[in-house]
Amino acid sequence: MEKVEKQPLKKILLICSKASIEDVYAALVMGNGAVMEGIETKLFFTFFGLDAITKKTMNKLHTATTGNPGMRMPGGLPFPTMLGGLPGVEAGVSAMMRKQMDDLDIPPVDEFLELITAGGGEIYACKLAMDMFKLTKEDLHDEVNDVITVGELYEMCDGPGTQIVFT
Amino acid sequence: MAEKTYAGVSVGINEEGYMTDASQWTKEVGAAIANDEGIELTDKHYELIEFVRTKVENDETLTIRGIGKSGIVDAKEFYKMFPGAPLKKATKISGVPKPSSCI
């Protein structure tokens, strides 16, 4: 059989466009994991994903309690959609989820970003989405390297062994 | 199980080069493994190795966050001391199994 040489992953770019806890943490955990493996890592936040790098919102992310078929009551019973719509339920469930993550030593968003950049990972914000949401660089966390355009993003993706992942 | 001689001591290693018996580890063995990884150990490294070995001995999860909060180094220094994949390298040099943590 022909021997195929393995090509290790050298660079990864993760794009996060949503603000729910699960979407943001998917990008953060994968990004941090890549940094830990010595892979060159860049995270790009766009649209609602900007919430994850905006000082005001980053540590108060929510998970959707309506329209989320994966939602269960503690103990595994079904979670009625009607209940999810009541005031305060989403905030309560989200706080509980953040607490559970903290118990597993998963850091809050701001600390996670610091951990990623400590290992040489880079954080970017989408310029177009920033304009749309009327945000400035001052609104963003200090660990954000730059606000860039899509073109600049693709320029960073050069070289063999590079992958782009949209979470 | 393979055997490899580090600093004159024959130790058991697995296919990824991690020592299979942490009790066989000595400072000299650690230094020899580090040398293979291109790292020269300093007092700070040994302090960290001690921390890593104690954590593993107590069956606690080893994370970069935890090391950053150890009071010995912060995460940034840790990455500098064990360049590339720090947690993997630090555990290998410390003679303990490869960490199974995702964060």
Side-chain angles (χ1 to χ4, degrees):
Chain A
M1 214 174 85
E2 200 183 334
K3 196 165 183 270
V4 184
E5 206 182 316
K6 273 200 191 177
Q7 294 283 343
L9 180 62
K10 287 200 185 123
K11 193 191 318 191
I12 190 152
L13 181 103
L14 291 148
I15 303 171
C16 174
S17 69
K18 300 187 194 86
S20 69
I21 293 179
E22 60 272 27
D23 286 301
V24 169
Y25 271 87
L28 292 175
V29 171
M30 285 185 70
N32 185 59
V35 170
M36 281 169 68
E37 295 296 315
I39 297 164
E40 185 181 340
T41 308
K42 298 174 197 300
L43 279 104
F44 183 75
F45 292 88
T46 184
F47 269 85
F48 297 111
L50 284 176
D51 270 9
I53 52 171
T54 304
K55 278 184 251 180
K56 240 194 248 169
T57 48
M58 60 194 313
N59 286 332
K60 296 182 190 128
L61 301 179
H62 279 190
T63 194
T65 47
T66 55
N68 182 354
M71 189 52 67
R72 299 266 188 290
M73 292 284 212
L77 287 171
F79 192 97
T81 296
M82 294 280 279
L83 180 62
L86 295 178
V89 169
E90 189 177 281
V93 168
S94 302
M96 206 159 122
M97 204 150 140
R98 290 197 297 265
K99 165 81 177 48
Q100 279 173 353
M101 293 200 297
D102 189 54
D103 291 345
L104 286 173
D105 209 23
I106 302 173
V109 177
D110 56 349
E111 201 192 319
F112 222 155
L113 292 179
E114 285 158 24
L115 212 52
I116 289 168
T117 54
E122 293 163 13
I123 318 280
Y124 295 98
C126 167
K127 185 173 181 301
L128 192 61
M130 292 276 288
D131 293 345
M132 218 179 99
F133 290 121
K134 307 217 169 4
L135 290 168
T136 63
K137 181 90 171 42
E138 282 65 49
D139 297 313
L140 304 179
H141 191 256
D142 295 340
E143 298 300 327
V144 176
N145 292 66
D146 208 355
V147 179
I148 60 169
T149 64
V150 175
E152 287 168 317
L153 169 106
Y154 283 123
E155 279 170 24
M156 289 178 182
C157 300
D158 59 333
T162 301
Q163 293 286 340
I164 302 180
V165 176
F166 201 108
T167 69
Chain B
M1 195 175 77
E3 292 265 331
K4 192 162 177 185
T5 307
Y6 284 114
V9 189
S10 181
V11 298
I13 55 163
N14 67 12
E15 61 285 352
E16 286 181 301
Y18 287 83
M19 280 174 64
T20 46
D21 180 2
S23 68
Q24 289 181 318
W25 187 89
T26 62
K27 273 191 167 189
E28 290 71 33
V29 170
I33 304 174
N35 196 42
D36 277 2
E37 297 286 335
I39 298 169
E40 201 176 319
L41 297 185
T42 62
D43 289 348
K44 204 99 193 157
H45 281 99
Y46 281 116
E47 227 178 297
L48 257 180
I49 289 169
E50 193 58 45
F51 175 82
V52 167
R53 286 177 62 85
T54 315
K55 275 260 177 197
V56 173
E57 224 169 88
N58 297 339
D59 244 349
E60 288 174 60
T61 317
L62 206 55
T63 61
I64 292 188
R65 186 193 192 199
I67 287 171
K69 286 185 170 172
S70 64
I72 304 166
V73 289
D74 61 27
K76 204 169 190 163
E77 287 170 302
F78 181 52
Y79 271 101
K80 273 205 194 116
M81 286 166 70
F82 297 92
L87 209 51
K88 277 182 167 173
K89 282 192 183 169
T91 45
K92 195 182 232 179
I93 293 166
S94 303
V96 297
K98 184 173 160 181
S100 57
S101 141
C102 282
I103 47 165

